[in-house]
Amino acid sequence: MTIEHPSRHSGASEAFRPHQGVLLECRDFVCQRVREALAKAVGEIEDELQARRQAASSSDESQKLIELQVLLRSVGAGVDRAFGTGFEEQFQERAKTSNVVGTIYQDENGFFPELALVDDAEIDDTLTVRNLAARLEKSCEAENQDLQTRVAFMLGESDIDNAANPIGPAAICETLKDICWAQDASGERRATILEMLVTRLTGEMSNVYHEVNALLVSRRVMPNVRARAKRGKASQRIAARKRDVAAGEPDASDVVKQLFSSRSSAGEEPDWITRTGANELMQLLNGLQRGQSDVAIGGQSFSLATDTSASGNVISALLEAGLGKHVGSVDGIVIDVVATLFDYIFDDSRVPDPMKGLIGRLQIPVLKLAMMDHSFFSNRAHPARRLINALAQAGVTWDGPLTPDSSLQRSAEAIVLRIQNEFSEDPGVFASCLQEFETYLVEQERYADARAATLTERLKQRERQELARKVAQDALAAHLANEDIPQVVRDFIAGAWLKVLAQAALDSGATSEAPVSSERWREAMATVEELVWSVLPKQGAEARQRMVQRLPVILRTVKAGMATAGLDDAGQKAFFSELVQCHAAALKAGITQADPNSMTTARKTAAVGLKPPADEPTPETLELDLLSRGSWVELKDEFGEIRRVRLTWISPARTMYLFANRQGQRALALTRVELTRRFATGEAVTADQEPLLDRVVDDVLDELRG
């Protein structure tokens, strides 16, 4: 009798049903790996406690260690089974419940939720688990963020918080807490053992989640997860700002909510001049932008490093030097948020370092702009945001190293230098520079398209040839599948005569259906049908007489077709020598099946055709169908290098795809079959085209909401 796993019953969560099998596979994998790690951890902790006990300097310390050893052995005796059961419960609870972070508009007080009044012990337990989960998350931050994104996708959500991940660190820590808290021991002893177990897991979870992500990639679950920066700085800065807010100043959470709210006064410049300390701050920033080294505010001097090529966060450096003490609450929060935005930009591994350096030189101008115009945060169409997005996207899609002598580097550097020199209080320079840079990008893409277009006529011809060949294959399918026809004749039909028929289809312009109105097509089909009829068994004098009469015509038309197909004299002679034997056999053979003498029957059989079934949709073909002209794709070449190319042309029947790199130096044509294969193997992925700053703002907002 088969015992079904409880999670596979009909009562399991509907939330992840489309990806239920994959998510359960991931759960089982994580559970098994953690159980193995726990078995190892229990032994290591036992050795550690024993060594500490032997080195104990007092009887009280020794007694404490003995109690810990007793508790550890009690936990370890059933941890394997208990973890499996407990982790299943945590998984089910999280998979069934939507824990997606709500929008900031759902509750006026929901941006920084306060703790409800609960029992003190329960708060202590919750904080213990939360702190340990945070430690475990930090040990595998990058892998966990990728996993969290994929799990949210499988649950049908746009995002989930750390606590809601059914196979995340929080679920693991909560399971271990329940195991430890089930033991008969003091709260302090249980918390100590729990912390020791989690500490041992911190060295394992990075590998575990890395392998789970690899498993999900192999199952085609979001193989191209977008890069996400390390979290924490935004919430830390805003939390510190909330603690230090002066009397009468607006609450930090309210200010942040207004900055990011799409309902804020987008397009209306706030009166920043009236804010406390804003004039002094703007003067300091103007001096820093001009490269002055003796600027000051509130009696404190500030300066920037002279290395303009570095991509370090100069705003963070100013904050660490104490700039935040000399400005009002609103401007202080703007500085905090802008610093965090650039932290995220610099942490994005996709953007080349030279482009990060150029974008980094815009930090002071962008900070000034954000102080004057808060719609920078909420308006996705803001020229400054679009400019940073365009710079980053151009860098991401540059094929190969970005060097000082590249046209992109030169163009971007000129744009950045102009903003540094010209921007004071008029934001129009950003719009002007955006237009200039977009013009450069359009011209570059036009140049790349023009160079690639020299190949399109050849590719169109190739596609027409392939489609004509497919039409011919469909027309000949019945003959090729008929085992009563001698193999030598079937080989001839599949080779030389397929070329004859394909050329007839090509000349007629046929791409999907047999060109029955074409005289050449009809003649070629009649010839092959007569050839087939001639090699099938004949019965009776009438049939044999008819064959003798038709044979010269058949041989003549077959010979003419051979010349069209390019078959040399040796090949023609070899086939005719075999064909003679086939005809002799046909004349001698008796009828053992339905009358094959009628050419009408032969034509009817051939006309039916055997068309292959349509391909079932797959993730790869669906992804392929979403591609359009202008889409960026990352292709892995034979050396394992990633090439970023743009789809410049799709053939009329979508069987050929032409790509070119941004520089217009490389062009690559791939058939639909080959491109589908590459998507399936991971050699091709659709490049993330979400604008960088839009993604960064969403990530910062997501962090602050969490």
Side-chain angles (χ1 to χ4, degrees):
M1 180 178 66
T2 302
I3 301 177
E4 188 176 18
H5 197 283
S7 65
R8 288 167 171 78
H9 288 170
S10 59
S13 169
E14 296 291 334
F16 61 97
R17 185 164 298 282
H19 299 278
Q20 180 175 357
V22 179
L23 192 52
L24 292 175
E25 186 179 7
C26 294
R27 178 209 59 193
D28 294 343
F29 179 86
V30 172
C31 183
Q32 182 58 34
R33 288 293 301 274
V34 173
R35 288 160 68 179
E36 293 171 358
L38 288 173
K40 178 182 177 183
V42 169
E44 292 175 347
I45 297 172
E46 172 69 26
D47 293 342
E48 177 187 342
L49 293 175
Q50 183 63 25
R52 288 170 55 186
R53 177 184 168 191
Q54 293 174 352
S57 58
S58 67
S59 58
D60 288 344
E61 182 182 0
S62 179
Q63 181 60 36
K64 176 182 176 181
L65 292 169
I66 291 174
E67 292 175 2
L68 287 175
Q69 283 182 299
V70 172
L71 176 57
L72 176 67
R73 290 165 186 167
S74 178
V75 169
V79 69
D80 186 77
R81 179 183 55 80
F83 184 84
T85 302
F87 191 62
E88 164 69 18
E89 294 173 356
Q90 294 295 328
F91 175 89
Q92 289 295 334
E93 179 181 347
R94 287 164 171 79
K96 290 179 181 178
T97 305
S98 175
N99 290 287
V100 182
V101 181
T103 70
I104 61 176
Y105 311 121
Q106 290 178 347
D107 186 351
E108 289 297 320
N109 299 316
F111 200 85
F112 291 101
E114 302 295 333
L115 285 175
L117 293 177
V118 295
D119 182 72
D120 289 344
E122 184 177 345
I123 292 178
D124 289 342
D125 294 349
T126 300
L127 291 177
T128 295
V129 174
R130 183 180 299 172
N131 291 336
L132 290 175
R135 184 190 305 178
L136 201 56
E137 289 161 6
K138 189 173 182 180
S139 71
C140 53
E141 185 173 21
E143 295 82 0
N144 183 51
Q145 285 188 4
D146 287 351
L147 177 63
Q148 190 170 306
T149 301
R150 291 187 170 103
V151 169
F153 172 76
M154 289 189 288
L155 291 174
E157 305 287 3
S158 59
D159 197 9
I160 56 175
D161 59 28
N162 290 320
N165 187 347
I167 56 176
I172 293 172
C173 290
E174 191 69 40
T175 302
L176 290 176
K177 188 267 288 186
D178 290 343
I179 294 173
C180 292
W181 263 235
Q183 308 302 317
D184 184 14
S186 68
E188 180 185 358
R189 301 286 188 271
R190 295 182 301 194
T192 299
I193 293 299
L194 174 61
E195 181 177 4
M196 297 180 82
L197 289 171
V198 173
T199 299
R200 287 304 193 284
L201 289 180
T202 56
E204 298 288 338
M205 295 313 299
S206 179
N207 290 332
V208 172
Y209 287 148
H210 176 78
E211 293 179 24
V212 175
N213 279 308
L215 172 65
L216 290 173
V217 169
S218 70
R219 300 293 188 268
R220 301 297 295 166
V221 177
M222 298 187 73
N224 190 31
V225 171
R226 65 177 173 86
R228 300 182 68 173
K230 294 183 179 180
R231 299 186 171 196
K233 293 182 179 179
S235 54
Q236 292 171 6
R237 286 175 176 140
I238 299 303
R241 183 70 56 183
K242 284 170 64 71
R243 291 194 302 267
D244 300 336
V245 64
E249 293 283 355
D251 183 80
S253 59
D254 293 335
V255 175
V256 173
K257 189 185 302 184
Q258 180 184 11
L259 291 179
F260 285 104
S261 172
S262 60
R263 299 179 301 175
S264 65
S265 54
E268 299 180 9
E269 295 185 5
D271 190 7
W272 61 272
I273 299 178
T274 62
R275 295 199 297 266
T276 303
N279 278 310
E280 293 80 0
L281 175 59
M282 191 64 72
Q283 291 176 10
L284 177 136
L285 295 176
N286 286 334
L288 292 175
Q289 183 176 324
R290 291 191 294 268
Q292 297 178 5
S293 58
D294 56 347
V295 293
I297 186 173
Q300 182 179 354
S301 297
F302 293 89
S303 62
L304 294 180
T306 57
D307 183 7
T308 58
S309 65
S311 59
N313 195 323
V314 299
I315 303 178
S316 291
L318 293 173
L319 286 172
E320 292 172 2
L323 179 63
K325 302 175 183 177
H326 305 289
V327 299
S329 177
V330 172
D331 288 321
I333 291 172
V334 170
I335 296 173
D336 289 338
V337 174
V338 173
T340 304
L341 294 181
F342 278 96
D343 278 339
Y344 273 52
I345 291 172
F346 295 145
D347 281 344
D348 194 323
S349 60
R350 304 174 315 127
V351 182
D353 288 340
M355 186 57 73
K356 287 181 183 177
L358 290 174
I359 294 174
R361 288 162 57 180
L362 295 177
Q363 290 176 78
I364 298 301
V366 167
L367 176 56
K368 290 168 51 181
L369 178 71
M371 286 178 54
M372 295 185 292
D373 182 7
H374 289 174
S375 69
F376 169 80
F377 298 103
S378 59
N379 182 10
R380 290 175 179 262
H382 195 289
R385 285 182 61 162
R386 289 173 56 196
L387 177 60
I388 294 176
N389 288 334
L391 290 168
Q393 181 67 7
V396 168
T397 54
W398 187 261
D399 186 25
L402 188 58
T403 60
D405 61 345
S406 66
S407 64
L408 174 59
Q409 180 84 354
R410 293 195 304 270
S411 178
E413 188 164 18
I415 293 291
V416 169
L417 187 61
R418 181 182 168 192
I419 292 175
Q420 288 180 307
N421 291 336
E422 297 181 15
F423 176 61
S424 177
E425 295 182 11
D426 181 10
V429 65
F430 283 95
S432 177
C433 287
L434 171 64
Q435 183 178 7
E436 180 182 338
F437 190 63
E438 286 182 336
T439 298
Y440 159 77
L441 293 177
V442 169
E443 291 176 351
Q444 191 182 55
E445 290 179 356
R446 186 182 295 121
Y447 170 74
D449 289 352
R451 295 197 64 181
T454 60
L455 302 174
T456 57
E457 193 53 46
R458 278 185 285 169
L459 293 175
K460 287 180 182 178
Q461 179 64 15
R462 179 177 169 184
E463 179 181 63
R464 288 193 291 267
Q465 291 172 344
E466 290 297 324
L467 293 174
R469 181 180 178 84
K470 180 66 167 57
V471 170
Q473 286 175 330
D474 290 344
L476 297 173
H479 292 318
L480 298 177
N482 187 353
E483 297 183 358
D484 291 335
I485 300 173
Q487 185 64 48
V488 65
V489 176
R490 281 188 285 163
D491 290 343
F492 173 77
I493 293 173
W497 211 256
L498 179 63
K499 293 180 182 180
V500 173
L501 209 56
Q503 188 62 48
L506 181 64
D507 292 343
S508 69
T511 58
S512 59
E513 299 292 337
V516 293
S517 61
S518 166
E519 183 177 353
R520 287 188 58 190
W521 174 272
R522 292 198 306 270
E523 290 176 352
M525 283 301 300
T527 298
V528 76
E529 288 164 7
E530 285 192 301
L531 174 63
V532 168
W533 170 80
S534 71
V535 297
L536 292 176
K538 301 295 177 286
Q539 183 183 39
E542 183 180 350
R544 289 194 291 272
Q545 183 63 32
R546 187 177 182 184
M547 179 175 172
V548 171
Q549 293 173 351
R550 294 295 304 164
L551 195 55
V553 178
I554 295 173
L555 296 178
R556 187 165 55 250
T557 54
V558 168
K559 185 174 181 62
M562 287 178 166
T564 302
L567 193 62
D568 58 23
D569 291 341
Q572 293 182 28
K573 290 178 180 179
F575 174 68
F576 280 130
S577 65
E578 295 280 356
L579 188 60
V580 168
Q581 298 180 30
C582 293
H583 287 154
L587 290 171
K588 294 177 182 178
I591 298 300
T592 58
Q593 53 187 338
D595 181 17
N597 290 315
S598 170
M599 291 179 57
T600 303
T601 304
R603 285 195 184 94
K604 185 176 180 180
T605 304
V608 174
L610 296 177
K611 295 187 178 181
D615 292 336
E616 289 292 329
T618 65
E620 295 77 36
T621 58
L622 292 176
E623 192 167 11
L624 206 58
D625 289 337
L626 291 175
L627 291 180
S628 60
R629 188 173 179 274
S631 297
W632 285 91
V633 174
E634 295 181 353
L635 297 175
K636 187 178 295 184
D637 64 18
E638 63 271 22
F639 305 108
E641 296 291 329
I642 299 298
R643 295 295 182 188
R644 296 173 179 87
V645 290
R646 179 172 167 269
L647 181 57
T648 66
W649 177 81
I650 307 174
S651 65
R654 296 186 72 91
T655 69
M656 299 290 300
Y657 296 78
L658 180 62
F659 298 91
N661 66 356
R662 179 174 287 283
Q663 299 93 304
Q665 296 171 341
R666 291 189 180 90
L668 175 66
L670 294 174
T671 65
R672 182 179 180 86
V673 173
E674 172 61 15
L675 193 53
T676 301
R677 185 195 68 78
R678 294 198 184 196
F679 272 114
T681 61
E683 298 172 64
V685 293
T686 304
D688 180 12
Q689 298 185 69
E690 183 182 4
L692 171 67
L693 202 56
D694 295 351
R695 184 174 73 246
V696 166
V697 168
D698 289 344
D699 279 350
V700 172
L701 177 59
D702 180 55
E703 178 188 339
L704 294 175
R705 284 199 314 232

